[in-house]
Amino acid sequence: MVVAVGSSGLSAGVFLAVSAVMLFPAWLGGITALTVAVLVEVISTVLDWGSGTGLSLGVCAAAFAMFGVTKLINRNIELVREREASERLAVQEERTRMARDLHDILGHSLTVITVKAELVGRLLDIDIDRARTEVADLERLSRDALADVRQAVQGIRGLSLPVEIARAGEALRSAGIEAELPNSTESVPTGLRELFAWTVREGVTNVVRHSGATHCSVTVGEREVTVVDDGAGCRESVHGNGLVGLRERAAAAGARVVITHPQPGGFSLHVLKEEAP
């Protein structure tokens, strides 16, 4: 351009500096822009076209401005990527929550339904009236399970501790297990009620499904809940999905899950909210 149009061609230095800043790494773009500014000054001086200082400063100013614009563009790109990653993480967490809730809900409900169905099969030839009553309970339980699944899918799942204790008693009685349940849950703080409700549900489900126990005791305190049985130990359930989900809920509430075997063959599920130091 300098050869073709003379001194006016030096204006192309601004374009070269801006292009270098946009296309090259920051350090290389800066060196290129500085080199172009020096060349503009040298060519103006050598060819006696007057002082090129103003144009050289323009080259530097344009390069610096484009550097800021480029940083802003790159930052916006990073923000978009971070937002997309956060959205993917949120979707994954929601899938995990839904899978955990569905496992706990259906695991408990289907266990009770299975136990009641077995009981109905035994009662058909013995006590037809009680069999009819148990069939009505089966229908109610299946409807409750369907409603619970719908609530879990909609994200409004919430458990009531008194309701879960009542359900636990019904499930244990249907399985022929003697139940010892608390009469009141008023001492439990509001923030721990749902966690304790999940604990009762998971613990009793494991007792009915795995333990072969004859007696199960549920105790609820201000900062702890315990489910204890005298069965075979429920060892296969210790690392099951239900207890994994319970540990996650407990950790979110600042509590911990303790599993012990207090007597030969017995099994204890204990969730404790430790006091802040």
Side-chain angles (χ1 to χ4, degrees):
M1 291 183 64
V2 169
V3 172
V5 299
S7 61
S8 298
L10 292 177
S11 301
V14 176
F15 173 77
L16 292 178
V18 169
S19 299
V21 171
M22 289 184 62
L23 299 177
F24 297 156
W27 65 272
L28 182 57
I31 292 176
T32 303
L34 183 61
T35 301
V36 170
V38 172
L39 285 175
V40 168
E41 182 70 24
V42 170
I43 292 174
S44 297
T45 302
V46 170
L47 297 181
D48 197 20
W49 287 342
S51 175
T53 303
L55 185 56
S56 297
L57 291 176
V59 169
C60 294
F64 182 78
M66 184 52 60
F67 176 78
V69 172
T70 303
K71 294 294 289 184
L72 180 61
I73 292 174
N74 291 335
R75 180 55 182 165
N76 289 336
I77 293 174
E78 291 177 2
L79 289 175
V80 170
R81 290 175 178 172
E82 290 176 359
R83 185 177 63 186
E84 292 175 348
S86 298
E87 291 175 353
R88 288 194 297 269
L89 181 60
V91 170
Q92 183 62 37
E93 289 179 348
E94 179 63 14
R95 288 175 178 171
T96 301
R97 180 201 67 81
M98 188 177 298
R100 181 183 62 197
D101 285 359
L102 289 177
H103 171 273
D104 293 343
I105 293 166
L106 292 179
H108 174 81
S109 299
L110 294 179
T111 296
V112 177
I113 289 173
T114 300
V115 171
K116 279 188 170 291
E118 294 174 351
L119 179 60
V120 169
R122 294 194 299 268
L123 291 174
L124 285 175
D125 298 328
I126 302 174
D127 188 344
I128 191 66
D129 291 333
R130 186 180 173 188
R132 290 193 182 98
T133 301
E134 295 295 338
V135 169
D137 282 345
L138 282 175
E139 181 181 359
R140 178 183 58 79
L141 285 170
S142 64
R143 293 183 185 276
D144 289 346
L146 181 59
D148 287 345
V149 169
R150 286 173 177 168
Q151 289 180 345
V153 171
Q154 293 171 359
I156 58 175
R157 177 66 183 162
L159 295 188
S160 168
L161 181 55
V163 170
E164 287 306 315
I165 290 176
R167 288 182 174 180
E170 182 180 354
L172 292 169
R173 285 190 294 270
S174 297
I177 301 174
E178 181 184 0
E180 183 180 343
L181 304 174
N183 296 321
S184 174
T185 60
E186 297 301 323
S187 63
V188 180
T190 302
L192 294 177
R193 283 180 169 267
E194 186 171 352
L195 172 62
F196 285 8
W198 281 113
T199 303
V200 172
R201 167 170 283 205
E202 177 62 25
V204 171
T205 299
N206 286 337
V207 171
V208 173
R209 183 184 297 173
H210 302 295
S211 71
T214 59
H215 180 273
C216 177
S217 173
V218 177
T219 57
V220 176
E222 183 178 352
R223 308 182 68 85
E224 59 186 349
V225 58
T226 306
V227 180
V228 182
D229 67 75
D230 60 353
C234 300
R235 296 181 183 276
E236 60 270 32
S237 67
V238 172
H239 302 291
N241 292 328
L243 288 179
V244 170
L246 182 61
R247 289 188 179 96
E248 292 175 354
R249 290 188 178 95
R256 61 190 180 96
V257 177
V258 180
I259 296 174
T260 59
H261 300 274
Q263 55 182 313
F267 183 85
S268 171
L269 173 62
H270 183 65
V271 173
L272 172 66
K273 169 71 172 180
E274 297 179 336
E275 296 186 13

